């Protein structure tokens, strides 16, 4: 008789166990390959990993300091944080400012969750900007004005011998400064003036040239090419250039005239 191998329960169990082991080995190889690929990817691109809150803080401080101080970000260095300090992630943009006079101490604040830190940064030395070359100063503007030739006193009646024309710097001259000798005709001083001081119209006033009750000479028609003169009585005091009332003694008529000199008026 031929020997015929018969399948026993033991043999079936062994065959099933071998197939199970083969499947487990295949799964192990697949998982090993996946882990190997993931490890190579992480090693090739370490930045793919999420940054820590401390790294985010450092980058924000460096960028902000470089921008506000107008320096190269590569030359800004933030001092290491205390290793005992736990920086919490901020859900909003970090706010930064300089709470002290130094630009090397930066205050960092987070709104949510609320916290703040003081960090130190090292900044590169800044080259001082060269002062702009100033243009050549223009010579001061000159102006010809009247100045006192001697010490003048309040109440004096001025004349040409009391003044002279001088060339002075225009800057700093008084307002309404006098420029012509004719401007001191029939005027008196309102204040004391030292020699060499510029004279202003505010320092002067017209003199009283006509007294009330005096007989004065009034001229009429000079502008029309003829002149008539008459003696009239002044009804009021009059300074140079003022209009005053006059009286014709013969007719009793009241006239108006402008004071033009000592006891001289021009009829209007």
């Amino acid at each position: 008789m031929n020997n015929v191998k018969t399948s026993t329960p033991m043999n079936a169990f062994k065959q099933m166990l071998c197939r199970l082991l083969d499947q487990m080995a295949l799964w192990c190889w697949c998982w090993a390959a996946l882990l190997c690929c993931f490890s190579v990817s992480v090693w090739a691109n370490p930045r793919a990993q999420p940054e820590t809150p401390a790294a985010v803080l450092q980058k924000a401080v460096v960028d902000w300091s470089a921008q506000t101080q107008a320096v190269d970000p590569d030359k800004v260095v933030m001092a290491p944080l205390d290793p005992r300090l736990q920086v919490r992630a901020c859900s909003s943009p970090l706010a930064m400012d300089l709470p002290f006079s130094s630009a090397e101490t930066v205050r960092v604040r987070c709104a949510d969750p609320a916290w703040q830190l003081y960090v130190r940064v090292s900044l590169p030395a800044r080259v001082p900007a060269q002062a702009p070359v100033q243009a050549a100063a223009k010579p001061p503007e000159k102006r010809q004005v009247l100045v006192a030739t001697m010490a003048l006193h309040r109440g004096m009646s001025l004349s040409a011998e009391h003044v002279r024309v001088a060339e002075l710097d225009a800057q700093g001259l008084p307002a309404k400064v006098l420029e012509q000798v004719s401007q001191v005709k029939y005027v008196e001083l309102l204040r004391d003036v030292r020699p060499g001081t510029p004279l202003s119209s505010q320092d002067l006033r017209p003199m009283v040239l006509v007294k009330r009750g005096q007989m004065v000479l009034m001229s009429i028609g000079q502008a029309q090419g003829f002149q008539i003169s008459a003696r009239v009585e002044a009804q009021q005091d009059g300074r140079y250039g003022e209009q005053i009332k006059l009286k014709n003694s013969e007719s009793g008529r009241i006239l108006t005239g402008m004071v033009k000199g000592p006891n001289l008026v021009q009829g209007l």
Side-chain angles (χ1 to χ4, degrees):
M1 292 179 62
N2 294 332
N3 295 328
V4 179
K5 294 183 179 180
T6 58
S7 176
T8 64
M10 182 60 68
N11 291 335
F13 175 77
K14 289 181 179 181
Q15 291 176 0
M16 183 177 63
L17 182 61
C18 289
R19 287 195 300 268
L20 181 61
L21 290 176
D22 291 341
Q23 291 179 356
M24 292 180 62
L26 180 61
W27 277 104
C28 289
W29 278 106
C30 291
W31 279 107
L34 289 174
L35 289 175
C36 181
C37 292
F38 178 77
S39 300
V40 170
S41 175
V42 172
W43 175 82
N45 186 17
R47 292 186 178 273
Q49 298 180 358
E51 292 183 317
T52 63
V56 173
L57 169 68
Q58 180 176 0
K59 184 178 184 305
V61 169
V62 170
D63 292 344
W64 183 85
S65 298
Q67 182 179 4
T68 55
Q69 302 302 319
V71 296
D72 187 355
D74 294 336
K75 296 183 179 180
V76 179
V77 179
M78 191 182 91
L81 297 173
D82 189 335
R84 297 170 297 178
L85 183 64
Q86 295 294 328
V87 180
R88 291 180 291 172
C90 188
S91 61
S92 59
L94 296 174
M96 281 162 278
D97 64 346
L98 301 174
F100 310 114
S101 58
S102 172
E104 296 184 346
T105 300
V106 180
R107 177 170 58 183
V108 185
R109 290 179 289 181
C110 175
D112 184 23
W115 55 262
Q116 73 174 12
L117 293 175
Y118 292 86
V119 297
R120 297 280 296 175
V121 295
S122 176
L123 300 171
R126 303 180 66 177
V127 179
Q130 296 182 352
V133 178
Q134 296 183 351
K138 295 182 179 180
E141 182 182 354
K142 297 292 185 178
R143 186 176 174 185
Q144 290 188 341
V145 298
L146 290 186
V147 299
T149 58
M150 61 186 73
L152 305 178
H153 304 287
R154 179 181 179 182
M156 283 183 59
S157 300
L158 295 186
S159 62
E161 65 181 6
H162 297 134
V163 297
R164 64 179 177 87
V165 177
E167 190 174 63
L168 303 178
D169 292 343
Q171 186 176 7
L173 289 176
K176 301 180 180 180
V177 65
L178 304 183
E179 298 179 338
Q180 300 178 3
V181 177
S182 60
Q183 292 177 283
V184 298
K185 183 179 180 180
Y186 299 137
V187 295
E188 62 184 11
L189 274 174
L190 295 175
R191 67 180 182 90
D192 296 340
V193 176
R194 293 180 297 177
T197 302
L199 292 174
S200 168
S201 60
Q202 298 176 347
D203 301 328
L204 313 172
R205 71 174 177 180
M207 293 173 53
V208 176
L209 300 178
V210 174
K211 293 285 189 178
R212 179 181 180 183
Q214 287 183 338
M215 299 301 294
V216 299
L217 182 63
M218 182 177 69
S219 300
I220 301 175
Q222 185 174 3
Q224 288 75 25
F226 65 92
Q227 182 173 340
I228 299 176
S229 298
R231 305 289 295 184
V232 293
E233 181 183 349
Q235 300 298 296
Q236 60 189 112
D237 293 346
R239 297 182 182 274
Y240 180 76
E242 288 183 343
Q243 295 183 17
I244 61 172
K245 298 295 183 180
L246 306 162
K247 180 179 181 182
N248 188 320
S249 301
E250 296 180 359
S251 64
R253 182 182 177 185
I254 300 299
L255 308 172
T256 302
M258 179 180 292
V259 179
K260 304 299 289 185
N263 294 327
L264 293 175
V265 295
Q266 181 179 348
L268 300 177

